[in-house]
Amino acid sequence: MYTEQANILSEHFGLNNNLDCQVTIKPIGNGHINTTLLLQSANAPVVVQKLNTYVFPQPNELVNNARLIEKHLTNKKQDNNYDLEIIKHVATVNQDYLIDIKGDSWRGLEFIGGSYSEDVVANVQQAKIAANAFGQFAAALEDFDATQLFSVIPDFHHLAKRVDTLKEVANLDKCDRLKSAKEEVDFCLSQNALIDELETLKSQLPLRACHNDTKINNMLFCSKAHNAKAVIDLDTCMSGYWLFDFGDMVRTFCSPEEEDSTNLDNVIIREDIFAAIVEGYVTPLQNLITQAEKQSFWVGAKVMCLMIGVRFLTDYLDGDNYFSIKRAGHNLDRAKNQFALYQDLLKKEDKLKALLD
Ligand code: ADP
Ligand code: GN1
Ligand code: MG
């Protein structure tokens, strides 16, 4: 698979491809959106990504955004103000950063070797390390002008609009799937109070340059020292509120089960991991974060668990066009998983809110 693309890409990147050392290509990671492959040759390995243009209709803007952030972080690192490695784009021999192969958009990224990503957080220490790294990333972007960033997915974290879309897709029911997801849809439509809570809060918070996808597998850990190596997947870096980045960590770090798990009895919020996220994330931000922002984190946790569930459910009803799936009903299973997590979060409200104080 992808042999033809590998040959074309290796020419674009000027990689050696001969009988002595053939270029090989293999999938890496578990992202839901792009196709991510590792291109190996006699030269340095290159991560090549086919960008999902259903999700990102303007891939050139996405690459521009990511390169602006790359430049900002590189300057910070040169001034010893950023310790992590930086995900860097690789230019083609013609100095381009996007390659069109039969209508598909591809880009190259430097491979960060000696690293691994996780789909489930293994322990408290790992949660603290990852949250601290996302905090360092947020702190490093504090003086970055987020208005430079193109809105690659408008209203990406707009809960009210996400619920409206669910309503529309459910009313249409074009795949005749509503009957298998009625209970979940009704549940989502009953959560208006959270929508109002979020909208009220927004007016009190500063707009920040956010990562917007701080899930655990968007962090690379060092294979030897197991410390954080790099924050990756800058595709959705746009202006937003830190509560979303905090919330997405809660959503993806706290459960001992993968997002894909159907073992719902074990989809719970691990309180010690929640505490580790608070400590890890807030420490690098302590001189920047406002009191209102810190108080908003509880809403962020609720919003992200519910909202990604709403998005999985919408995609299930819409015919699975957005998130890549491996089996029938996969997106419905993911939605159920996220709602189970949301329910457990609500159940533990008093204890978890106390950890934020
Ligand atoms: P998606 O947008 O589909 O989530 P990602 O950019 O997050 O794609 O990449 C998917 C996975 O590929 C990551 O979780 C990580 O495991 C691996 N990966 C991506 N970029 C790199 C890189 N530069 N070096 C090493 N591994 C990478
Ligand atoms: C997608 O690209 P990836 O797999 O890191 C999605 C996120 C969701 C996540 C759910 C551009 O993230 O918003 O939270 O799946 N990215 C996009 O796992 O929609
Ligand atoms: Mg990713």
Side-chain angles (χ1 to χ4, degrees), residues 271-339:
E271 291 158 42
D272 53 352
I273 302 276
F274 187 98
I277 300 171
V278 177
E279 191 192 326
Y281 189 59
V282 172
T283 302
L285 298 177
Q286 58 194 349
N287 297 327
L288 306 169
I289 194 166
T290 66
Q291 193 57 24
E293 276 181 305
K294 209 174 159 206
Q295 279 164 359
S296 73
F297 283 179
W298 171 245
V299 174
K302 288 193 290 183
V303 165
M304 292 312 279
C305 294
L306 178 68
M307 188 170 60
I308 312 299
V310 168
R311 292 175 57 199
F312 284 140
L313 187 57
T314 305
D315 199 31
Y316 168 71
L317 295 175
D318 195 42
D320 307 307
N321 298 308
Y322 189 102
F323 298 103
S324 65
I325 55 160
K326 295 198 176 106
R327 55 176 191 267
H330 200 163
N331 275 319
L332 178 59
D333 288 343
R334 288 170 173 154
K336 288 181 182 171
N337 175 305
Q338 297 298 288
F339 300 142

Side-chain angles (χ1 to χ4, degrees), residues 28-38 47 49 56 87-88 107 109-113 115-119 213 215-220 232-235:
I28 52 167
N30 275 332
H32 287 339
I33 304 295
N34 299 311
T35 304
T36 308
L37 309 157
L38 186 63
V47 172
Q49 267 188 333
F56 300 114
I87 187 118
K88 290 193 171 139
R107 66 153 166 203
L109 298 167
E110 283 178 14
F111 175 63
I112 300 183
S115 68
Y116 61 96
S117 57
E118 293 276 22
D119 290 310
D213 192 5
K215 77 186 214 189
I216 189 60
N217 69 14
N218 288 327
M219 176 66 56
L220 292 183
I232 61 165
D233 199 345
L234 308 186
D235 301 351

Side-chain angles (χ1 to χ4, degrees), residues 62-73:
L62 177 155
V63 170
N64 281 344
N65 281 356
R67 291 197 58 237
L68 285 172
I69 292 177
E70 176 185 320
K71 207 168 143 204
H72 180 85
L73 294 178

Side-chain angles (χ1 to χ4, degrees), residues 107-274:
R107 66 153 166 203
L109 298 167
E110 283 178 14
F111 175 63
I112 300 183
S115 68
Y116 61 96
S117 57
E118 293 276 22
D119 290 310
V120 172
V121 165
N123 53 49
V124 166
Q125 188 57 16
Q126 192 176 60
K128 206 181 289 178
I129 288 170
N132 186 275
F134 278 125
Q136 290 177 50
F137 179 87
L141 291 184
E142 200 269 335
D143 56 347
F144 176 85
D145 176 11
T147 60
Q148 295 175 80
L149 297 174
F150 183 84
S151 185
V152 283
I153 304 180
D155 298 318
F156 189 49
H157 289 330
H158 199 301
L159 181 61
K161 291 193 179 175
R162 293 291 188 183
V163 173
D164 282 348
T165 307
L166 172 66
K167 233 184 278 178
E168 283 162 26
V169 170
N171 283 340
L172 219 56
D173 194 21
K174 67 178 190 197
C175 301
D176 194 24
R177 292 180 176 178
L178 183 59
K179 54 184 181 296
S180 54
K182 186 82 180 60
E183 199 184 313
E184 286 74 23
V185 172
D186 288 344
F187 173 72
C188 294
L189 301 186
S190 71
Q191 298 304 302
N192 277 334
L194 182 58
I195 295 179
D196 298 339
E197 204 179 351
L198 175 63
E199 287 310 310
T200 312
L201 204 54
K202 279 183 186 170
S203 60
Q204 302 158 23
L205 301 171
L207 262 181
R208 305 281 195 181
C210 289
H211 184 280
N212 285 318
D213 192 5
T214 51
K215 77 186 214 189
I216 189 60
N217 69 14
N218 288 327
M219 176 66 56
L220 292 183
F221 295 94
C222 172
S223 310
K224 277 195 190 141
H226 305 290
N227 54 349
K229 208 155 188 183
V231 170
I232 61 165
D233 199 345
L234 308 186
D235 301 351
T236 46
C237 283
M238 291 179 276
S239 55
Y241 302 100
W242 279 344
L243 73 120
F244 297 127
D245 283 354
F246 176 84
D248 213 21
M249 282 189 278
V250 171
R251 182 184 82 76
T252 62
F253 292 19
C254 286
S255 174
E257 293 287 319
E258 288 189 21
E259 192 181 64
D260 282 5
S261 167
T262 52
N263 182 14
L264 299 188
D265 288 344
N266 200 36
V267 175
I268 54 159
I269 296 284
R270 290 177 286 180
E271 291 158 42
D272 53 352
I273 302 276
F274 187 98

Side-chain angles (χ1 to χ4, degrees), residues 6-7 9-10 15-18 21-28 37-48 111 113:
N7 290 331
L9 287 162
S10 58
L15 307 179
N16 288 327
N17 191 10
N18 52 48
C21 184
Q22 293 253 299
V23 167
T24 61
I25 195 159
K26 64 165 193 215
I28 52 167
L37 309 157
L38 186 63
L39 194 61
Q40 282 172 302
S41 66
N43 311 74
V46 179
V47 172
V48 287
F111 175 63

